[in-house]
Amino acid sequence: MADILFLAPLPDFLTQPLLAAHRCHTSMDGREEMIRAVVGQGGTSYSREILERLPNVEIISVLGVGYDRVPLDYCKARDIRVTNTPDVLTDDVADIAVALVLMTSRKLVAANRYLHERKWLGGPFEMASALRGKTAGIIGLGRIGKAIAHRLAAHGMEIAYHGRHAQTDVPWRFCSNLVELAREADFLIVACPGGAETRHIVNAEVMAALGNVGTLINIARGSIVDEAALIDALATGTIKAAGLDVFENEPHVPAALLSAPNVVLLPHIGSNTQETRRAMADLVVRNLAAHFAGQPLVTPVRM
Ligand code: NDP
């Protein structure tokens, strides 16, 4: 039985198996030296300052695939292991990306509102635009990016992608330059990790290249997009629309985005289904069990 610190509110189906096997705490409260494991969500801060207060922490288990808020170099130096929950959430997140593409291209939110406001009685809803033949430019063709690509190809879209490396085993066009990808894309879809390396890579220049028939979709991390530049691009018509599941300062969403007519906003629900959240929780439990039993971790983050 080990002492585990919960750094964020966690679902019952995760806390219950952990409580059955360990002593679990929701605050440090003088127990700093006892804590051997830390558990939190993908968006939780696992800052160096917090970890410095825990001299005996051995493992951080993230309920999420993104570990951009874990200081990996510091963890490596202290031999703190890190796990995340890849693969099990891929399909759900890709589904939300496709939903945002459809909601923005076919104006589904506005159409729904139009009917509820009884405006249909006065005439048909405005025409939207089709997906077939349009190009999706995916930033980060990893597990989620590939699942998005397969789905959008089935919708008749052309696929191109950007990343640090070209991939030889995919049929889609690689674009080494992000501005060029944006220029080609009708939908620029962000699916790469957050963190210092990708902070604000989707900036004013990229949005200018995406252009006034282009839509930005972000299901990855808010930090990747310069939100102030996005607000400006939406307001000035530099880009056509945006569909966002993630924001720079969650759960706070700028008023300018809330009131913009050409956006669809979701409260970070990419992996938020009963089935997937349970599968993610199961991975956290199995990783911690493996760690404390001296077994290989199930889904370690490579450092
Ligand atoms: P993967 O590690 O499988 O894929 C990440 C991809 O991003 C890789 O193809 C990599 O390709 C590319 N990449 C990495 N660094 C860069 C960079 N600097 N510039 C451009 N591309 C880069 O991750 P997943 O597909 O599993 O997850 C992707 C992200 O989605 C997560 O990190 C997480 O932040 C986010 N996410 C959001 C969720 C939500 O609820 N909205 C839920 C789950 C995940 P290459 O190595 O060639 O650069």
Side-chain angles (χ1 to χ4, degrees):
M1 188 175 266
D3 286 84
I4 298 181
L5 176 64
F6 297 163
L7 276 183
L10 299 169
D12 288 350
F13 49 74
L14 174 54
T15 55
Q16 278 164 7
L18 293 180
L19 281 162
H22 302 283
R23 286 179 297 272
C24 299
H25 313 284
T26 53
S27 68
M28 294 188 202
D29 274 351
R31 301 186 195 92
E32 285 82 350
E33 300 208 347
M34 293 154 59
I35 303 295
R36 293 175 62 197
V38 162
V39 179
Q41 307 268 1
T44 303
S45 170
Y46 306 83
S47 69
R48 204 183 153 125
E49 292 67 36
I50 293 171
L51 298 174
E52 275 170 353
R53 293 174 61 193
L54 305 171
N56 297 311
V57 69
E58 298 162 16
I59 182 167
I60 297 171
S61 198
V62 180
L63 181 74
V65 73
Y67 47 83
D68 45 292
R69 304 203 70 188
V70 179
L72 285 192
D73 288 344
Y74 174 79
C75 290
K76 194 173 171 187
R78 266 190 62 191
D79 215 11
I80 299 171
R81 308 169 91 186
V82 181
T83 67
N84 65 344
T85 62
D87 295 313
V88 294
L89 44 61
T90 296
D91 286 329
D92 278 354
V93 183
D95 287 346
I96 287 296
V98 174
L100 286 169
V101 168
L102 281 166
M103 284 196 282
T104 49
S105 63
R106 300 300 299 271
K107 305 186 177 183
L108 298 181
V109 176
N112 177 65
R113 200 179 308 124
Y114 189 82
L115 187 150
H116 280 277
E117 291 172 354
R118 297 182 167 275
K119 291 183 178 163
W120 192 16
L121 297 170
F125 183 67
E126 66 194 272
M127 278 185 257
S129 51
L131 293 188
R132 180 160 297 279
K134 301 283 165 53
T135 297
I138 299 176
I139 308 173
L141 194 74
R143 290 168 292 234
I144 295 170
K146 286 190 181 79
I148 296 169
H150 283 293
R151 282 159 171 74
L152 293 181
H155 283 263
M157 295 184 76
E158 302 290 325
I159 308 294
Y161 70 98
H162 167 76
R164 294 165 304 178
H165 319 94
Q167 301 183 36
T168 51
D169 53 350
V170 297
W172 304 301
R173 197 169 67 256
F174 176 66
C175 205
S176 62
N177 184 306
L178 179 51
V179 174
E180 272 169 33
L181 181 79
R183 203 169 287 131
E184 286 183 25
D186 298 288
F187 291 84
L188 187 64
I189 303 175
V190 187
C192 63
E197 202 185 321
T198 58
R199 188 179 140 73
H200 287 191
I201 59 170
V202 179
N203 55 20
E205 185 189 7
V206 170
M207 283 180 259
L210 181 58
N212 62 6
V213 291
T215 297
L216 180 72
I217 305 291
N218 188 3
I219 52 77
R221 283 288 183 266
S223 61
I224 302 163
V225 174
D226 180 342
E227 211 164 68
L230 171 62
I231 288 167
D232 187 59
L234 286 164
T236 55
T238 303
I239 68 168
K240 178 180 164 189
L244 310 172
D245 185 43
V246 289
F247 304 88
E248 280 207 80
N249 184 26
E250 297 175 8
H252 305 284
V253 176
L257 277 182
L258 293 174
S259 61
N262 45 350
V263 298
V264 176
L265 310 175
L266 301 177
H268 201 146
I269 57 167
S271 66
N272 203 15
T273 64
Q274 288 282 348
E275 296 85 347
T276 291
R277 286 261 141 188
R278 283 176 191 272
M280 292 163 67
D282 184 52
L283 272 178
V284 170
V285 172
R286 287 169 53 210
N287 273 307
L288 290 173
H291 172 76
F292 290 118
Q295 306 283 332
L297 297 173
V298 187
T299 49
V301 170
R302 308 261 169 238
M303 295 199 274

